[in-house]
């Protein structure tokens, strides 16, 4: 199928569709080859893969391998490949860009400033994401509205103008975390072993730590920064006004 030059209109009434209905609508509108699930192998992504293979046995699933992921995430990637029999399209950072960044600023530059952290996320995540999204007319994400205030208005299907004229599809937008885990338990799906060790939200190893029970699930991500800077640029058009971290706890 050739790339479409304009995205189809968002299906009427999509907000009333359940997750399977959202996925079905997106597949019917864009086709298997031009719709891909962006998986960081969080629990939402596992649920989405499980739902997607019911509708399309060979779904496109891609991931961004930053080179700094925990071993447990690679183990899960293998478990997913085995369980579902799917290929995972792995996008890696540009080697020359990583080499230049690390040579100039060191391997742990992200702890030194928000600017450095965003530079690292840009090289290792955002640029590979742009390459991945250049191959689709729509991408599926595991965003849920109750994850962060910035995600509270996430539509189930909406235009993603940041990445060109493509669809951003969030079938689990109105799911709760409890619903996600109930589906995983019910279907005995694989999940990241770090979740059982106090890591509710998992990204790169040096930028993720365990949180105490009851704490904000995302407080273990870039924990040395102030709360309003904790996005990597993948799901925000702009990182907005970022505050430099205080000296305390920057390591
Ligand atoms: S999460 Fe940390 S290691 Fe991963 S890309 Fe961002 S700054 Fe770099």
């Amino acid at each position: 199928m050739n790339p479409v030059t304009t995205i189809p209109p968002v299906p009427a009434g999509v907000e009333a569709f359940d997750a399977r209905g959202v996925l079905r609508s997106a597949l019917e509108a864009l086709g298997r080859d031009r719709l891909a699930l962006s998986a960081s192998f969080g629990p939402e992504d596992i649920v989405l893969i499980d739902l997607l293979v019911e509708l399309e046995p060979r779904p496109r699933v891609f991931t961004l391998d930053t080179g700094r992921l925990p071993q447990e995430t690679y183990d899960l990637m293998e478990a997913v490949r085995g369980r579902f029999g799917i290929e995972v399209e792995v996008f890696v950072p540009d080697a020359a860009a990583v080499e230049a960044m690390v040579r100039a600023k060191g391997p742990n530059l992200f702890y030194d400033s928000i600017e450095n952290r965003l530079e690292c996320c840009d090289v290792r995540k955002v640029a590979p994401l742009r390459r991945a999204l250049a191959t689709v007319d729509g991408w599926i994400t595991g965003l849920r509205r109750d994850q962060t205030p910035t995600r509270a208005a996430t539509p189930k299907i909406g235009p993603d103008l940041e990445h060109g004229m493509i669809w951003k599809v969030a079938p689990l937008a109105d799911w709760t975390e409890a619903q996600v885990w109930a589906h995983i338990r019910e279907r005995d799906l694989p999940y990241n072993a770090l979740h059982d060790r106090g890591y509710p939200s998992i990204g790169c190893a040096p930028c993720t730590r365990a949180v105490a029970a009851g704490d904000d699930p995302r407080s273990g991500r870039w924990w040395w920064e102030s709360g309003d800077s904790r996005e990597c640029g993948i799901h925000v058009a702009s990182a907005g006004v970022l505050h430099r971290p205080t000296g305390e706890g920057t390591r």
Side-chain angles (χ1 to χ4, degrees), residues 66 68-69 101 107 109-111 116-125 203-208 221-222 224 232:
T66 64
R68 302 297 298 259
L69 300 177
M101 178 178 71
L109 70 160
F110 30 78
Y111 294 131
N116 280 2
R117 201 273 286 172
L118 289 173
E119 179 181 343
C120 186
C121 282
D122 195 55
V123 167
R124 293 184 184 274
K125 290 184 180 180
C204 293
C207 300
T208 305
R221 304 288 296 278
W222 308 295
W224 63 93
C232 59

Side-chain angles (χ1 to χ4, degrees), residues 141-178:
T141 80
L143 293 182
R144 289 187 297 102
R145 291 172 186 151
D146 67 1
Q147 285 171 319
T148 66
T150 58
R151 298 178 182 181
T154 300
K156 292 188 178 177
I157 298 179
D160 180 355
L161 305 179
E162 183 70 13
H163 296 107
M165 189 57 78
I166 64 175
W167 274 7
K168 191 169 181 178
V169 181
L172 305 183
D174 58 359
W175 282 40
T176 64
E177 183 183 11

Side-chain angles (χ1 to χ4, degrees), residues 101-118:
M101 178 178 71
V102 172
R103 188 181 307 132
K105 298 186 172 181
N108 291 334
L109 70 160
F110 30 78
Y111 294 131
D112 293 336
S113 69
I114 290 184
E115 288 75 15
N116 280 2
R117 201 273 286 172
L118 289 173

Side-chain angles (χ1 to χ4, degrees), residues 1 22-38 52 56 58-62 89 135-141 157 167-169 171:
M1 178 182 173
V22 174
L23 289 170
R24 188 177 296 111
S25 292
L27 276 168
E28 287 173 356
L30 303 180
R32 176 266 177 199
D33 292 347
R34 299 295 299 176
L35 177 71
L37 166 63
S38 170
L52 198 51
E56 166 53 62
R58 291 176 47 254
R60 285 193 62 193
V61 176
F62 74 83
E89 301 174 32
T135 72
V136 299
D137 295 315
W139 59 310
I140 304 164
T141 80
I157 298 179
W167 274 7
K168 191 169 181 178
V169 181

Side-chain angles (χ1 to χ4, degrees), residues 5-247:
T5 51
T6 57
I7 52 173
V10 171
V14 68
E15 285 300 324
F17 294 179
D18 65 10
R20 286 180 179 84
V22 174
L23 289 170
R24 188 177 296 111
S25 292
L27 276 168
E28 287 173 356
L30 303 180
R32 176 266 177 199
D33 292 347
R34 299 295 299 176
L35 177 71
L37 166 63
S38 170
S40 59
F41 297 100
E44 291 82 5
D45 302 326
I46 305 300
V47 169
L48 285 171
I49 293 170
D50 188 47
L51 299 178
L52 198 51
V53 294
E54 285 179 14
L55 303 169
E56 166 53 62
R58 291 176 47 254
R60 285 193 62 193
V61 176
F62 74 83
T63 195
L64 310 176
D65 182 355
T66 64
R68 302 297 298 259
L69 300 177
Q71 180 60 34
E72 289 82 354
T73 300
Y74 295 110
D75 293 343
L76 178 57
M77 196 187 309
E78 283 291 79
V80 165
R81 292 174 72 248
R83 167 73 182 253
F84 298 104
I86 60 171
E87 281 184 7
V88 177
E89 301 174 32
V90 179
F91 287 80
V92 299
D94 177 77
V98 172
E99 286 174 6
M101 178 178 71
V102 172
R103 188 181 307 132
K105 298 186 172 181
N108 291 334
L109 70 160
F110 30 78
Y111 294 131
D112 293 336
S113 69
I114 290 184
E115 288 75 15
N116 280 2
R117 201 273 286 172
L118 289 173
E119 179 181 343
C120 186
C121 282
D122 195 55
V123 167
R124 293 184 184 274
K125 290 184 180 180
V126 178
L129 177 70
R130 277 197 297 269
R131 281 196 288 119
L133 295 185
T135 72
V136 299
D137 295 315
W139 59 310
I140 304 164
T141 80
L143 293 182
R144 289 187 297 102
R145 291 172 186 151
D146 67 1
Q147 285 171 319
T148 66
T150 58
R151 298 178 182 181
T154 300
K156 292 188 178 177
I157 298 179
D160 180 355
L161 305 179
E162 183 70 13
H163 296 107
M165 189 57 78
I166 64 175
W167 274 7
K168 191 169 181 178
V169 181
L172 305 183
D174 58 359
W175 282 40
T176 64
E177 183 183 11
Q179 284 177 283
V180 171
W181 281 103
H183 185 97
I184 286 176
R185 307 282 185 214
E186 182 186 331
R187 297 273 299 139
D188 193 24
L189 299 177
Y191 61 89
N192 198 312
L194 290 175
H195 291 308
D196 291 335
R197 295 182 224 150
Y199 291 74
S201 176
I202 301 165
C204 293
C207 300
T208 305
R209 70 177 180 182
V211 303
D215 280 359
D216 176 351
R218 284 185 66 83
S219 62
R221 304 288 296 278
W222 308 295
W223 66 92
W224 63 93
E225 296 183 1
S226 62
D228 55 358
S229 70
R230 290 186 193 140
E231 291 281 6
C232 59
I234 284 181
H235 293 300
V236 287
S238 160
V241 178
L242 300 178
H243 302 290
R244 285 182 173 279
T246 63

